Amino acid sequence: MLVMTRFVVEDDEDFAGRAHTALAALAACPGYLRGRLGRAYDDPAHWSVVTEWESVGAYRRALSNFDVKVHATPLLAQALDEPSAFEVLAESGPGGELKVTASDRA
């Protein structure tokens, strides 16, 4: 499961530091696989936090974790209002074959 959260950050010199703290809080939760903080080459006001989880349930449980509520939720509240949680339907590693997965949606 992927969570892609985008931000437009105009005047927040500590955004990266707050994002690092948020990623650390999320990383301590069961089911967390990896996370990244990125900034757009073309417009440095545009940032993204991308995390990968074992399941949607693991992500939702992480959101109720105390440290996540303290360190990540305030940052996530600044995100653009758009869908952010995505199920992985196909994946392929370098030189690997494409693995297609059925949707969990009913």
Side-chain angles (χ1 to χ4, degrees):
M1 188 236 158
L2 295 174
V3 178
M4 295 182 283
T5 312
R6 297 184 321 128
F7 303 85
V8 176
V9 181
E10 298 295 339
D11 293 321
D12 186 349
E13 293 179 14
D14 193 38
F15 180 81
R18 293 185 311 111
H20 295 165
T21 302
L23 278 171
L26 291 165
C29 295
Y32 177 93
L33 299 176
R34 68 189 55 84
R36 294 185 171 135
L37 170 66
R39 182 167 54 182
Y41 281 115
D42 299 334
D43 186 345
H46 289 254
W47 292 75
S48 65
V49 172
V50 179
T51 56
E52 190 172 343
W53 298 84
E54 288 178 354
S55 66
V56 67
Y59 173 63
R60 289 182 176 161
R61 284 187 295 279
L63 293 177
S64 65
N65 175 282
F66 178 78
D67 286 336
V68 170
K69 286 182 180 180
V70 170
H71 299 293
T73 300
L75 181 87
L76 297 175
Q78 291 181 263
L80 296 176
D81 185 17
E82 61 187 18
S84 61
F86 297 86
E87 62 180 333
V88 177
L89 298 177
E91 62 183 303
S92 177
E97 291 188 35
L98 180 67
K99 177 183 174 188
V100 177
T101 306
S103 174
D104 287 335
R105 293 182 53 107

